Amino acid sequence: MLLQEIAYLDETMEVKEHQDIRIQDTCIHEIANHGCLTPYPKEECLSGKGLLVMPGLCDAHMHTGQQLLKGCVLDASGMIWKDIMLPFESTLTDEIMQLNAELAALEMIRNGTTSFLDAGSYHMDAAAKIYAQSGLRAQLTCSTMDDASLPIQIQDDVESALAKNDAFYDTWHQKGNLKVSYSLRTLLSVSERLIKEIHAHAKARNALLQVHMNEYEQEVHAVIAKYGMRPYTYLDQLKILDERFVGAHSLIVDVEEISLMQKHHTHVVLCPFSNSAKALAPYPTLKKQGLLLALGSDGSAHGGLSLWNEMRQLRCMIHVTHGIANHDRHILSAKELLHMAITNGTALMQEKNLGCIKPGYLADLIFLNIHQPHLYPSGNLTNTLVECVEGHDVLHSMVNGKWLMKDHKILTLDEKAIFQKAVAFQRKS
């Protein structure tokens, strides 16, 4: 396939115009100034006039199992994961989980997301089947807890939790574009033995370990009361922290914890819209320590699956607090936000050559229609991507060089049939 006379976002987050890009099989093969690449016989050619192609976005923390909870979380108080999320997830069936995954896949594709990390739920085999069909690139996991006070439908002990995770890994890891992580839902819902065992199983498979960390003040205080130390300090003593550890949220962290995160090269995923009702991460300190900071939506129940919205939310939150306090108008630039949503997120996908438009890199790409009044003309198109782009500006999407969406039509899933199922679900609710 030859993309002709197209603009693209390079690895420095600068826009290069009037380029030709050849895609062969799953990868970007070559890039040259327009007119320097001659089409092969019978090669598919796509005119790039008025388009910008860029690496697809990566939602580094979302919840498939909460897709049907839109409108149920905003303005709720307390620890909503325990009061709203878990009760709903305990009622899931294969059929409902399939609908969750179908709607989430549609929403992500339409918003320019080509890869994501799911934080784990139940009936994950049903979700994995849909994601394999969708063509999206994914890191999937199971919700892992052994708290005896949980609803009976989702109760596990150490042995059953490990068996569930191992079986899911054996079934779905490296099936199509899917990989499998291990996870711990929260430190308050797992025993010390389960923490150690899950970490050991993940390490043996070189899999990521996803954990919700330091999200609520009540959570942090409860961990201190239970173990006599803060969450990251406790995990450090158990030798759990390493370069495969993904700490979702990590909002309420102290200097010692940040030092441990840096020492062990752990990763952090910020979810701005969801986090705004809880706490604000110490972004300047996290950035100064060189931690890999990725961006997540926290699932559709928290304002939808648009990373364009999350980029703007985070920029506003950081500038109105740390930026103003430190008299730093450049505390979080458009380029840094794009790196978080693309480069840093795709680094968690455990793939070589992903998240950049360069020869040899995987062709996980989205195509934006930039010749529109709200985007064009622009004095700085990189800034305009962050300031103004919405999901409906994504015209085409591909993963591994295969189209997921072309001219706004999703090709891998039956959008009409899925929406009819969603309407039926709404009527029953």
Side-chain angles (χ1 to χ4, degrees), residues 187-192 220-229 234:
L187 296 189
L188 294 181
S189 57
V190 292
S191 65
E192 187 168 294
V220 174
H221 293 157
V223 171
I224 294 171
K226 186 175 181 180
Y227 299 110
M229 61 194 83
Y234 171 59

Side-chain angles (χ1 to χ4, degrees), residues 11-28:
E11 61 186 319
T12 68
M13 302 303 161
E14 293 283 351
V15 175
K16 290 190 174 181
E17 298 183 341
H18 307 297
Q19 301 291 299
D20 291 347
I21 301 174
R22 173 165 280 124
I23 297 169
Q24 285 189 341
D25 298 322
T26 62
C27 296
I28 297 161

Side-chain angles (χ1 to χ4, degrees), residues 375 377-384:
L375 301 178
S378 170
N380 184 319
L381 194 49
T382 300
N383 287 352
T384 299

Side-chain angles (χ1 to χ4, degrees), residues 52-126:
L52 179 140
V53 62
M54 59 183 285
L57 307 180
C58 178
D59 189 337
H61 184 75
M62 58 82 70
H63 289 267
T64 300
Q66 299 167 9
Q67 182 73 20
L68 295 172
L69 282 176
K70 275 190 173 74
C72 299
V73 171
L74 192 67
D75 297 332
S77 58
M79 295 178 70
I80 60 173
W81 74 270
K82 188 172 184 179
D83 299 332
I84 298 174
M85 306 308 197
L86 283 183
F88 174 76
E89 289 182 65
S90 70
T91 67
L92 289 174
T93 63
D94 280 351
E95 183 181 11
I96 294 174
M97 193 57 174
Q98 177 179 320
L99 180 57
N100 271 321
E102 288 171 329
L103 289 169
L106 293 176
E107 188 173 353
M108 285 189 282
I109 292 170
R110 290 213 167 275
N111 279 288
T113 293
T114 55
S115 60
F116 67 97
L117 283 79
D118 180 282
S121 189
Y122 304 92
H123 299 270
M124 286 301 298
D125 288 298

